[in-house]
Each structure stands twice: as C-alpha cells, then as structure tokens.
Amino acid sequence: MVKPVITVTLVYSPAPRQVFEQVLQVPKGSTVLEALQAGSLVDVAVEVTHTVGIWGKKTTPSHVLRDLDRLEVYRPLKVDPKVARRERFQSQGARTTGLFARQRVGAKAGY
C-alpha cells in the first residue's frame, strides 16, 4: 500500500541575502521536526536554537504539516529592530528620513 505524501517547502537563510529553498515530499501526518530531519538544508541541531514557522507564523516542532506548507527556519536577531532604527535615525538626522524628508516650499521645519 502506498502511503500518501504531501509537498512541503523548506526555506532557510543562514546569512543576509542568502536564501536556500528545498521542496520535500514527506508522508502525510509528518511533523515540523520530521520535515527538518528529511531536508538536507538545515542541520537538526540548528532547529533547537532557531525558531521555526509556517508561512510567517511561529510554530512548534511537534506541529503537524499540511500539503503545500512553507516551513521557515529563522535565525536569531543580532540587533533589536527598534534599537537599529533609533541608531539609523540618529546617524542620518531628522531632515533626511521619514516624514521630514519632503517638505512643502516655505513650510516651517518639522511640518
């Protein structure tokens, strides 16, 4: 008897601007952890320290996959996004970013 299989896409980005994608055929009822073990892109030990998600939503290794799921492995953030934005704003100055970049002719500063 042939066991039904589902198609799952495994996506992993080890560094900025590097994305590896692998299409897997796994048995129906497979979990996230089983799919990671079946894929050759990600070492299973990496899964312990990294967060995993399906279509951008965080999930657990015991979650049962469905057909055409996109399994994503997220690496940890090196810098808090709020801190990075604050530092970028300080280095660029208020006049070259965001709402203050384009001013109407004759407008007061900050408007």
Side-chain angles (χ1 to χ4, degrees):
M1 182 172 162
V2 178
K3 208 171 190 186
V5 294
I6 58 173
T7 303
V8 177
T9 304
L10 176 61
V11 181
Y12 177 58
S13 176
R17 297 184 219 343
Q18 288 183 348
V19 179
F20 298 112
E21 188 171 320
Q22 181 180 15
V23 178
L24 302 172
Q25 299 286 326
V26 294
K28 190 173 185 176
S30 295
T31 63
V32 170
L33 185 59
E34 291 168 349
L36 287 173
Q37 290 170 344
S40 62
L41 292 179
V42 184
D43 186 15
V44 179
V46 169
E47 188 275 327
V48 175
T49 59
H50 288 55
T51 307
V52 292
I54 297 175
W55 289 108
K57 298 203 184 245
K58 190 175 172 182
T59 189
T60 61
S62 61
H63 180 83
V64 177
L65 295 168
R66 294 186 293 184
D67 194 28
L68 302 178
D69 272 347
R70 176 184 166 101
L71 178 59
E72 303 161 344
V73 180
Y74 310 117
R75 64 179 182 276
L77 294 175
K78 293 181 180 179
V79 179
D80 182 17
K82 290 181 182 180
V83 173
R85 182 179 182 278
R86 194 173 303 126
E87 289 174 358
R88 218 174 28 252
F89 186 81
Q90 288 173 349
S91 68
Q92 292 175 349
R95 299 204 181 271
T96 60
T97 59
L99 296 173
F100 306 110
R102 296 182 302 268
Q103 292 183 358
R104 292 179 295 153
V105 178
K108 292 189 263 182
Y111 288 92

